[in-house]
């Protein structure tokens, strides 16, 4: 019998977007300011095209300006850097996102470092990563920010919780751990060299899984009542050949043990784009010295 509460990220993200839209309308009325998001796509990766379209669409739905910049798959690094330099200078652009992955002739680190720190709405610039690590005013990567919002909505004060983060990537695992530490959790980061992953997981009051391995975490790896945030997006084969999306956690066994769990799809995924909009709004305010209001999803 299923016991866990299902954390509805899709619904929470919709509420967050509505709240961002209300704040954007206020910004327009009070300061005659419309936040602008520039999304740069290099090449024709089908998944990236869908992501870019959705980001633009949701930015416009929130009342922001959205600028799409497409470069051919053959674009050189110098061409992309020139485009970024233009966007850095453009006062209508508050946030710049370069869709990853990039074609192999382009070094993603050089590109990320070329984005103005104040416009780095993905929060991937090393300076933003450093600010997050030392507790400064950083632009926080969207996926961990979305996970944190779901956790706070579910648990409230996170102080003292034992949090285990599976995965140590720069875009999810590391910033997630830094955020949980900032919330006064006791944080463990596990990765591919961790000796006994199941044992580490069993200690967690909060488990964030971001490894990219389908259904790696089993129900019997969990402490009863744990809150599970499943970041993984993995496609597994199905008999009809279409495949289906699953997370890094084996949902059917985990739901029997956990206190709450995010589903895949419909959990963390929708929060990522909502947090991109939030970061764009925040970037627009900060760049003009406008106090950033706390944006919180309206009560249901
Ligand atoms: P990366 O591949 O960059 O990092 C994966 C991490 O998992 C690494 O730190 C790796 O360890 C660790 N790892 C891999 N295999 C194991 C294992 N068997 N046991 C323990 N640790 C392991 O992935 P990302 O962080 O970019 O993404 C993780 C997942 O999250 C993916 O499924 C991705 O699709 C998804 N994702 C979802 C988003 C969303 O919006 N919902 C946004 C971003 C990502 P090591 O460092 O030792 O190699």
């Amino acid at each position: 019998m299923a016991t866990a509460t299902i954390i509805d990220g899709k619904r929470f993200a919709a509420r967050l977007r509505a709240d961002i839209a209300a704040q954007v309308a206020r910004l327009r009325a009070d300061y005659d300011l419309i936040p602008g998001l520039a999304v740069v796509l290099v090449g024709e990766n089908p998944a990236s095209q869908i992501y870019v379209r959705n980001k633009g669409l949701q930015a416009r739905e929130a009342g922001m300006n959205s600028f799409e910049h497409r470069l051919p798959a053959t674009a050189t690094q110098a061409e992309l850097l020139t485009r970024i330099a233009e966007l850095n200078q453009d006062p209508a652009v508050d946030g710049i996102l370069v869709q990853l992955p990039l074609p192999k002739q382009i070094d993603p680190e050089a590109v990320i470092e070329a984005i103005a720190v104040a416009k780095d709405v993905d929060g991937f610039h090393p300076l933003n990563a450093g600010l997050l690590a030392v507790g400064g005013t950083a632009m926080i990567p969207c996926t961990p920010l979305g996970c944190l919002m779901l956790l706070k909505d579910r648990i409230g004060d996170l102080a003292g919780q034992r949090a285990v983060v599976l995965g140590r990537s720069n875009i999810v695992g590391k910033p997630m751990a830094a955020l949980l530490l900032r919330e006064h959790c006791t944080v463990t980061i596990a990765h591919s060299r961790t000796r006994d992953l199941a044992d580490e997981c069993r200690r967690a009051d909060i488990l964030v899984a971001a490894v990219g391995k389908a259904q790696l975490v089993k129900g019997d790896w969990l402490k009863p009542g744990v809150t599970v945030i499943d970041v993984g997006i993995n496609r597994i084969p199905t008999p009809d050949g279409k495949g289906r999306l699953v997370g890094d956690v084996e949902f059917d066994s985990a739901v029997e043990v956990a206190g709450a769990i995010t589903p895949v799809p419909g959990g963390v995924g929708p929060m990522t784009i909502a947090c991109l909009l939030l970061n764009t709004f925040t970037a627009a305010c900060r760049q003009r010295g406008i106090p950033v209001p706390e944006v919180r999803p309206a009560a249901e």
Side-chain angles (χ1 to χ4, degrees), residues 85-104:
E86 288 162 7
L87 295 173
N88 283 344
Q89 295 302 321
D90 187 344
V93 172
D94 298 290
I96 303 169
L97 179 148
V98 178
Q99 186 65 45
L100 302 175
L102 290 164
K104 58 180 180 316

Side-chain angles (χ1 to χ4, degrees), residues 143 166-169 171-173 190-194 197 209-213 216 230-234 248 268-269 272:
T143 300
L166 303 186
R168 56 173 165 177
S169 72
I171 64 170
V172 190
H191 45 77
S192 68
R193 311 287 180 93
T194 295
L197 205 58
V211 290
K213 296 273 180 274
L216 175 78
D230 191 352
V231 182
I233 302 176
N234 312 285
D248 290 341
V268 174
T272 297

Side-chain angles (χ1 to χ4, degrees), residues 18-37:
D19 198 33
I20 294 166
Q23 293 290 352
V24 168
R26 216 161 291 157
L27 208 57
R28 196 171 183 162
D30 294 350
Y31 299 93
D32 196 22
L33 168 62
I34 304 175
L37 172 66

